[in-house]
Amino acid sequence: MRISFVTEKQPKSGAVVAGLGEGGKLPAAAKELDKAAGGALSRALSHARSPGKRGDILEVTAPGGLSNSRVLLVGLGKPAELTARNLEDLGGSLAAKLNALGESEATLFGTTFAGGPSAEEAGAHLAFGALLRSYRFDKYRTTEKADAKPSLKKLAIGVEKTAPAKRIYDGLEKVAAGVFTTRDIVSEPANIIYPKSFVQEAKKLEKLGIKLQVLGEKEMKKLGMGALLGVGQGSIRESQLLVLRWDGLAEKAKSKSQGKSPGKAGQPLAIVGKGVTFDTGGISIKPAAGMGDMKWDMGGAGVVLGLMAALAGRKAKVNVIGICGLVENMPDGNAQRPGDIVTSASGQTIEVLNTDAEGRLVLADALWYAQEKFKPKTIVDLATLTGAIMVSLGRSTAGLFSNDDDLSTQLTAAGKEVSEPLWRMPMGEEYDRMIDSDAADMKNIGGRWAGSTTAAQFLQRFVQKGTPWAHLDIAGVTWSEKDQPTVPKGATAFGVRLLDRWIRDNHEGK
């Protein structure tokens, strides 16, 4: 779908979409359309139950006097209460509606109201929402009928000035590219995406200025990463540790330091992702029903990839390290057994009582490496870690665990702004004791109760003192079973926009 910004008020073809404020008052441009249509729009509004209610769409098909296929009147509610999130949801819903109607082109205008956002700002966010909703993963569909495919090819957004709208949209479009990167890789089947092929996909980001480093099993063994390597030892696919580096502040830090150490200002943020490209559960094998979903158990690593693409694409003024622990958890004759004890890169030992609690083992070594190698000022990890978080929070909210109140507040605020909500979950000494082991320093499960929290307590044992850290359990939000305004059914990329917004609001340029 091609998106453009235009100053044209009355397009001659395709569908026309006009925004209505609460009460159903037509904007100036729509009044001109109504006049040309002999009052057809006003008559339709007079019979509407709640004209102007946010999200409601009134359709007038082929109105006389107009060459357009139809006019859609979409409710915006109270203009002064419109937020970027509202506009993006409206844009996504409109894109879905236009595709359902079989429209190939459409023009949206009439979004300026007293007290509301400017036409340029509103137009950019409407376009962003439509773009996000337009995503499809259909590369393996070879017999799909033409009328089942999206019809909308062109979407024009009417604004007063095109240049500022394009400027706002340009940055949003780069974030969408990151979102699509994540959705693509999370949607791929496990015979296509495994540790080494994930790395090959990541290498495509080098053209954006991202630097890559890859550690294979030999290098990780030298570093003592027995926790991560233990998970992958039953697979024929070699485990990998992928490091992505975006130095958006490198030159600035260098010039300020004048050859000296840049200090805390030069320290990067570290984002660490669980990348289990397929999770059978290992010897503690999962039930067959639903196991195919485990292709997206690398959702955390997928978010890291998409976030780095977004930051590099929009040239974010920040230094960020992205680390992906990439393994495949399979149950062959060499697989890790329940009861095995492994030694992590930190030197701490772990009694593995359940091989399906593998993501925390991967993250343990990845988190330690991030801190030892890069000394980050803040570290955030993402993982499809526990089914327990879905029992607690369902499929719309991710769990947030942290050792830092300020960091938790920042992340929660960012999530609220982009419709990727977080809910902070408890941590504490009582929960930590639940993972003490009689045979090693810790065990990888804590029992039946508080499963998400004991998993987070496990991870915290690999966070060095004084490092602000947050863990996002995204097991319930990585894949959607139904369409949402800006998220089609399938891979969501939950976390890309959240972390991009968190970085923009709290770290960019600092």
Side-chain angles (χ1 to χ4, degrees):
M1 180 177 65
R2 183 169 65 84
I3 294 175
S4 61
F5 296 91
V6 298
T7 55
E8 178 182 12
K9 296 300 181 183
Q10 292 198 28
K12 301 295 188 274
S13 61
V16 180
V17 183
L20 299 177
E22 193 174 55
K25 185 178 179 181
L26 290 170
K31 286 180 180 178
E32 295 180 23
L33 281 175
D34 188 40
K35 183 178 178 180
L41 307 187
S42 297
R43 288 194 296 274
L45 279 173
S46 69
H47 294 288
R49 175 175 291 182
S50 53
K53 181 181 178 181
R54 186 183 299 157
D56 281 4
I57 299 175
L58 179 62
E59 179 185 348
V60 182
T61 304
L66 295 177
S67 58
N68 305 97
S69 56
R70 54 177 46 87
V71 176
L72 301 179
L73 302 175
V74 58
L76 301 176
K78 295 181 180 179
E81 296 178 0
L82 274 176
T83 64
R85 184 176 66 182
N86 298 148
L87 290 160
E88 289 159 9
D89 284 351
L90 284 170
S93 296
L94 282 169
K97 177 72 173 180
L98 290 164
N99 273 311
L101 292 171
E103 292 288 353
S104 61
E105 60 178 303
T107 302
L108 191 157
F109 68 95
T111 57
T112 303
F113 295 91
S118 68
E120 290 72 28
E121 183 180 2
H125 285 283
L126 284 162
F128 182 45
L131 177 62
L132 289 172
R133 183 57 184 271
S134 72
Y135 176 83
R136 283 187 105 222
F137 186 78
D138 57 5
K139 64 187 289 187
Y140 299 111
R141 299 182 189 179
T142 63
T143 60
E144 188 177 26
K145 295 180 180 179
D147 60 4
K149 297 179 180 180
S151 60
L152 190 60
K153 305 300 181 186
K154 298 178 182 180
L155 178 63
I157 310 293
V159 294
E160 295 177 359
K161 298 177 181 178
T162 59
K166 288 178 180 177
R167 186 165 56 250
I168 297 169
Y169 179 70
D170 183 63
L172 296 172
E173 188 178 29
K174 298 299 189 298
V175 175
V179 168
F180 290 177
T181 294
T182 297
R183 289 179 181 173
D184 280 346
I185 203 161
V186 172
S187 298
E188 290 282 5
N191 61 318
I192 301 299
I193 291 298
Y194 43 88
K196 283 192 174 182
S197 62
F198 188 107
V199 169
Q200 291 305 310
E201 288 298 310
K203 287 183 177 180
K204 295 177 182 179
L205 302 187
E206 289 180 316
K207 63 185 179 184
L208 297 176
I210 290 175
K211 300 173 184 176
L212 269 71
Q213 179 187 6
V214 183
L215 277 65
E217 290 184 352
K218 184 177 180 181
E219 292 85 355
M220 286 188 281
K221 188 174 182 180
K222 287 182 179 179
L223 293 170
M225 294 187 181
L228 185 155
L229 291 171
V231 176
Q233 72 186 42
S235 173
I236 62 170
R237 311 284 195 185
E238 183 179 351
S239 300
Q240 309 272 277
L241 188 75
L242 170 65
V243 181
L244 303 152
R245 183 165 190 153
W246 170 248
D247 293 326
L249 271 182
E251 292 304 315
K252 182 177 179 180
K254 183 178 178 181
S255 62
K256 282 188 175 182
S257 66
Q258 295 181 339
K260 301 177 182 178
S261 171
K264 192 165 186 176
Q267 287 178 273
L269 303 171
I271 313 296
V272 179
K274 169 190 171 183
V276 179
T277 58
F278 193 75
D279 181 23
T280 65
I283 297 299
S284 306
I285 197 163
K286 294 177 181 290
M291 193 189 290
D293 291 342
M294 289 300 96
K295 69 178 184 179
W296 47 258
D297 206 24
M298 35 64 75
V303 170
V304 172
L305 199 65
L307 173 66
M308 298 300 285
L311 295 174
R314 65 179 186 79
K315 305 298 181 186
K317 299 294 189 291
V318 64
N319 293 343
V320 180
I321 301 296
I323 295 182
C324 302
L326 303 170
V327 303
E328 188 177 58
N329 189 20
M330 299 292 283
D332 86 339
N334 191 48
Q336 187 165 251
R337 298 156 292 264
D340 283 1
I341 293 177
V342 297
T343 301
S344 68
S346 71
Q348 298 176 91
T349 56
I350 305 161
E351 183 182 16
V352 181
L353 295 181
N354 187 323
T355 64
D356 194 25
E358 85 300 330
R360 64 202 71 181
L361 300 174
V362 174
L363 288 173
D365 282 341
L367 284 167
W368 192 258
Y369 182 79
Q371 294 164 96
E372 288 289 290
K373 179 73 173 179
F374 300 104
K375 309 298 181 186
K377 58 183 176 182
T378 304
I379 189 164
V380 177
D381 75 74
L382 304 95
T384 50
L385 205 64
T386 67
I389 201 67
M390 299 166 67
V391 175
S392 298
L393 300 176
R395 302 299 299 269
S396 61
T397 301
L400 164 64
F401 302 81
S402 182
N403 64 3
D404 188 278
D405 292 342
D406 290 340
L407 176 57
S408 295
T409 298
Q410 292 170 6
L411 288 168
T412 301
K416 185 177 180 180
E417 289 295 323
V418 301
S419 296
E420 294 184 352
L422 302 175
W423 188 264
R424 192 173 184 185
M425 301 291 285
M427 297 184 72
E429 185 178 347
E430 183 178 347
Y431 296 113
D432 195 67
R433 288 198 298 268
M434 293 169 68
I435 58 170
D436 286 341
S437 167
D438 293 333
D441 294 328
M442 70 196 83
K443 53 189 177 182
N444 75 326
I445 54 173
R448 181 178 180 184
W449 309 116
S452 297
T453 294
T454 53
Q457 294 289 164
F458 180 95
L459 296 179
Q460 189 176 34
R461 293 195 180 194
F462 299 90
V463 176
Q464 296 173 5
K465 186 176 181 180
T467 301
W469 158 78
H471 159 59
L472 307 185
D473 192 334
I474 58 173
V477 295
T478 290
W479 194 269
S480 178
E481 298 295 334
K482 59 182 180 180
D483 290 332
Q484 302 169 48
T486 59
V487 183
K489 178 181 177 181
T492 65
F494 185 109
V496 174
R497 294 182 62 199
L498 187 161
L499 293 177
D500 177 79
R501 184 59 179 261
W502 168 65
I503 289 170
R504 184 192 299 268
D505 290 348
N506 299 282
H507 294 282
E508 198 154 349
K510 298 178 183 179

